[in-house]
Amino acid sequence: MQITDDTLEDSQLMTINFGPTHPATHGTLHLIARLDGERIRDAEPIIGYLHRGKEKMGEHLKYNQYLTMTDRMNYLSPALNNVGWCLAVEKLMGITPPPRARWVETIACEMARIMDHMVCNGINAFDVGAGTVFFYMFQQREVLTDIFEKMTGARLTITWPRVGGLPYDLPADFKDDVRKFLKGFYPIVDECEKLLKNNRIFLDRTVGVGAISKERAISYGYTGPCLRACGVSYDLRKREPYLCYDQVDFDVPTGEHGDCYDRFFVRMEEARQSARIIEQCLEKMPDEGPVAVDDYRVILPPKEKVYKEMEAMIFHFKLVIDGVKPPPGEVYQGLEAGNGELGFYIVSDGSGKPYRVKVRSPCYYIYSSYTEIIRGLMISDVVAVLGSLNIIAGELDR
Amino acid sequence: MITQRPRLSLWQNLYLPEILRGMWITIRHMIRFKQVTCEYPEKPHAVPANFRGLHRLIQRPGGKERCVACELCLTACPANCISMVAADPGDPSVEKYPLRYEIDTLRCIYCGFCEEACPCDAIELTPHYEFASHRREDFMYTKDRLLDNNRFVPEGERVSKVQTNETYLRV
C-alpha cells in the first residue's frame, strides 16, 4: 500500500477493515482503509469473496444451462444478464428469434433495469440517511418482481429466455399488469426526486462526493450510468442497437460532474426513460405470433408434438442430451446492463458446451477506480460512494 | 439531457421547513396508500400457479409414478441434484421404472429444466415453497415423498407452463 501524503507517519495512521460482512457493503466486499483521523488516506479493495468460478463452470454446462449462472451474476437484474447471454449465443449461431420474442425481451430488459436502479438508488438514499425513499422504491421493485414471478415462475432467479426465443408465451394479463405498474411508477419516481433533489442533507452528503473526471472515467473503462454521470453520452442501446432499441424513442440522460449526486439523478431519469421504452414496446409489440424460432435443433418442440410425433420426440431427446450446438467460432456481444456494458465472449468448438466463456462485467472496471475516488474523503462517504457506483459483488467476482 | 443541480434558497438552507415538507409527503403516503406489506407467517404469500417450488412426481391412475426412467431430467439438471436407479418392473405394459428416485433439494436451484426436459409429464415443480427444516435428511426427497407431494396440487391439474393439460400417454 502506498502512502502518498506525508503529514503523518505511517505508524500514526489507523488501519480499518471495512467488510467483508458489513451490512453496508452490498455484498461481500472487503476494504482495508488507512485513516488519518476520519479521512481516508489510502484504501485497498480486496475482491474475490464471492468468486464462484462462473467462467470455468461455463465450460461444463450446456448453453441453455448456463442461464442459471447468469441469473446469479447481477442478482438485481437477472433478466438483463440472461438476455445478454442468449443474444451472444444467438449471434454465434446466426439465428434471429421472431419479433414477438424480441419485443418481450426488450420489455423484460427495461423492467430489469428499473429493478436495478430502484434497488441501487433506494439503498444509496438509505445509506445517506433517507429511509423513506428506500421503502417507496422497493415497493415499486416488488411490483416488478411479482410480474416476473407470474411470467416465469420465479422472482429473482428467473432462468427465463432461452437461446432462440422464449420457452413459453406470456401470461394473458401481462400487458395489464405492466400498464398498472407504469401508472403507479411515475408518481413515485417524481415524489422520490422531490424528496431528495433539494434536500440539504442529501446534497451535503452527495454533491462533490466521489467525483471522477470524464477522462479518468474513460481510461478506467467506465460504462453505464456512472460514465454518463461524468457527461459522456455513451449508451450501447443507441450506439449498437440490439433487440428492438432502434425502433423506440428514448433519451440518454447525462450528468456533468460525475459525483454521487449526478449518478443518483442519472439513474432516476434512466428509470423514467425505461418506463417510456416499455410503454412504446407495449404499443408496438405484436399480440400474436410465435415466441421462438421454428427450429427444433435450437428450441424444444412443444410437448403435444413430442407425444404424437416420432420426429419431435427424437429432436426433444437430442436437444436435452446434447444441447444447442453453435458452429465453431468466437463471438462477443455486449449489452447495456444496469450498471454498464455487460459483455459475453464465447469461444465455441462446435460442441454443446462452450470451449471458453469470458464475462465482461461492468462492476469490475468501475470498482478498480474505487481507491482513487475515495482517497481524501471521510469514512462515512465510503458507503455513499460504494452505493452510488452500484457495485454488485456477484457480478464483480463472478 | 443533463441533470440539473439546484441552488438552494435561504429558506431551503434553513432546513427545518424543508423537513416539515418532507414529512408531509410521508404522512400523505401513510394516509392515502393501502398496506403493501404482507403479514407473512400468518398470511402466506400467494404465488402464481406456475411458481417453481417443491417437486412432485405425477402419478398414473393406479397410484404408480408416471416416470419411465429415461434420465432426461438428470441430464438437463445443471446442479446434478437428481439421482435415479432404473429397473424392470416386470409389468409388460411398462418397460422401465425408477426403482429409486431422489432429489436433493439442498442442491436444487429450482430452474425448472427437469420439467421442461421430461418427455412424459412425470415431474413438475409445484407452487409449494414452505418446507424448511432443521434436519438435513428432510431435504432429501425420495420417490415416496415426491409422490406424496401431489397433495400440493389439486388432483388432475397441471401447474407447469411447459407441460400440457392433456395427456397422450398410455396409462
Side-chain angles (χ1 to χ4, degrees), chain B residues 10 36 55-56 71 73 81 91 100 102 139 158 170:
Chain B
L10 177 68
V36 289
H55 317 67
R56 68 162 176 160
E71 302 198 349
C73 47
C81 71
D91 174 2
R100 290 180 57 211
E102 238 176 63
F139 295 99
R158 287 294 156 69
R170 194 163 42 116

Side-chain angles (χ1 to χ4, degrees), chain A residues 15 18 91-92 140 149 154 195 243-244 264 286 316 326 332 367 371:
Chain A
T15 308
F18 177 67
K91 192 174 173 186
L92 184 60
Q140 292 309 306
E149 192 181 24
L195 273 170
L243 293 176
C244 298
F264 187 92
H316 183 91
Y332 175 82
Y367 199 49
T371 309

Side-chain angles (χ1 to χ4, degrees), chain B residues 96-124:
Chain B
K96 231 171 136 192
Y97 86 114
L99 183 66
R100 290 180 57 211
Y101 189 98
E102 238 176 63
I103 293 182
D104 183 347
T105 46
L106 292 174
R107 287 198 70 150
C108 180
I109 54 172
Y110 303 95
C111 60
F113 282 154
C114 49
E115 55 177 11
E116 200 178 294
C118 184
C120 58
D121 282 3
I123 188 168
E124 193 176 71

Side-chain angles (χ1 to χ4, degrees), chain B:
Chain B
M1 187 189 308
I2 290 179
T3 54
Q4 293 300 316
R5 195 158 291 236
R7 277 254 174 112
L8 293 193
S9 61
L10 177 68
W11 187 249
Q12 283 167 326
N13 260 323
L14 279 178
Y15 178 62
L16 262 180
E18 286 297 298
I19 279 244
L20 291 177
R21 260 179 37 151
M23 284 300 281
W24 170 237
I25 293 183
T26 318
I27 291 166
R28 214 177 55 209
H29 265 261
M30 216 167 71
I31 299 165
R32 201 205 303 160
F33 286 82
K34 64 179 200 303
Q35 186 186 8
V36 289
T37 50
C38 70
E39 310 277 327
Y40 168 60
E42 287 84 28
K43 282 188 217 146
H45 171 60
V47 292
N50 65 320
F51 185 79
R52 301 199 298 253
L54 188 58
H55 317 67
R56 68 162 176 160
L57 276 179
I58 301 169
Q59 290 161 315
R60 288 162 199 266
K64 281 271 189 189
E65 70 284 336
R66 210 175 233 209
C67 175
V68 293
C70 69
E71 302 198 349
L72 273 196
C73 47
L74 272 77
T75 316
C77 182
N80 294 332
C81 71
I82 308 176
S83 60
M84 179 195 285
V85 177
D88 183 0
D91 174 2
S93 67
V94 185
E95 255 179 61
K96 231 171 136 192
Y97 86 114
L99 183 66
R100 290 180 57 211
Y101 189 98
E102 238 176 63
I103 293 182
D104 183 347
T105 46
L106 292 174
R107 287 198 70 150
C108 180
I109 54 172
Y110 303 95
C111 60
F113 282 154
C114 49
E115 55 177 11
E116 200 178 294
C118 184
C120 58
D121 282 3
I123 188 168
E124 193 176 71
L125 301 182
T126 65
H128 180 70
Y129 59 92
E130 290 168 316
F131 48 100
S133 172
H134 289 290
R135 296 189 307 152
R136 236 159 224 276
E137 304 87 71
D138 289 349
F139 295 99
M140 304 299 157
Y141 278 82
T142 55
K143 196 174 87 178
D144 295 335
R145 291 184 71 198
L146 286 168
L147 285 170
D148 190 40
N149 287 346
N150 275 305
R151 65 198 148 101
F152 299 124
V153 179
E155 207 176 323
E157 266 186 43
R158 287 294 156 69
V159 286
S160 163
K161 279 203 173 177
V162 288
Q163 298 182 358
T164 56
N165 266 317
E166 308 155 64
T167 175
Y168 300 94
L169 284 186
R170 194 163 42 116
V171 284

